[in-house]
Amino acid sequence: MEELGGSQKFMDRFIAQHIAVGYYWFVVGLYIVNPVHAYNFNEHVEQHAFDTYDIFLKEQGEELKKLPAPQAAIDYYIDGDLYMFDEFQTSRGCSEPRRPKIENLYDVFVAIRDDEAEHVKTMIELQTDTELRTNHDQTCTVD
């Protein structure tokens, strides 16, 4: 969002960075006490993010479709090295890799919202006894 002016004000960057550091250490402390609670907490945070993006898309969708996609989103979702992007799609199993279309700002927010849904699924998986395997080892299974 820096390309859209999100990094212009020092105070905005300062607050965002310090909240992120505080959040990180809170989750680390929670993980030390109870890993399942830490994953559960993150599941709720990710679900809230999904719901927020979903409401935003419904309310602002038509306007967002008129705006171009930022280069950073094109670099990330289309032109970048997507090996790790596929690697962390926990719930996808042997399905085809997810490649969102990025033609405008609406598509960017849809892709971000869908990423949040994948994060929710990952947090749910991490709260169970599973043996996660890579999608790149030709087994594509979660035991």
Side-chain angles (χ1 to χ4, degrees), residues 108-141:
V108 173
F109 279 101
V110 167
I112 293 169
R113 180 205 58 195
D114 293 348
D115 286 348
E116 300 301 344
E118 289 295 327
H119 299 162
V120 169
K121 294 172 188 173
T122 299
M123 292 301 115
I124 290 169
E125 286 291 325
L126 292 170
Q127 294 174 64
T128 62
D129 282 336
T130 60
E131 181 182 330
L132 300 176
R133 298 178 189 233
T134 178
N135 286 336
H136 299 285
D137 69 1
Q138 307 305 315
T139 60
C140 291
T141 63

Side-chain angles (χ1 to χ4, degrees), residues 39-128:
Y39 289 127
N40 186 263
F41 178 76
N42 278 306
E43 175 191 342
H44 291 292
V45 168
E46 299 292 354
Q47 183 63 54
H48 177 72
F50 173 86
D51 294 339
T52 302
Y53 280 115
D54 198 48
I55 291 167
F56 176 71
L57 286 165
K58 289 175 183 165
E59 292 175 353
Q60 303 295 325
E62 292 308 312
E63 186 63 31
L64 293 170
K65 289 176 183 177
K66 299 174 189 173
L67 300 171
Q71 187 60 44
I74 294 168
D75 293 344
Y76 180 77
Y77 286 109
I78 297 174
D79 296 336
D81 177 7
L82 298 175
Y83 176 83
M84 294 305 284
F85 181 80
D86 293 332
E87 192 69 16
F88 288 101
Q89 301 295 314
T90 306
S91 65
R92 299 193 61 80
C94 289
S95 64
E96 289 296 315
R98 184 170 72 91
R99 296 292 183 265
K101 72 172 184 146
I102 304 294
E103 296 174 357
N104 51 46
L105 195 54
Y106 178 83
D107 294 338
V108 173
F109 279 101
V110 167
I112 293 169
R113 180 205 58 195
D114 293 348
D115 286 348
E116 300 301 344
E118 289 295 327
H119 299 162
V120 169
K121 294 172 188 173
T122 299
M123 292 301 115
I124 290 169
E125 286 291 325
L126 292 170
Q127 294 174 64
T128 62

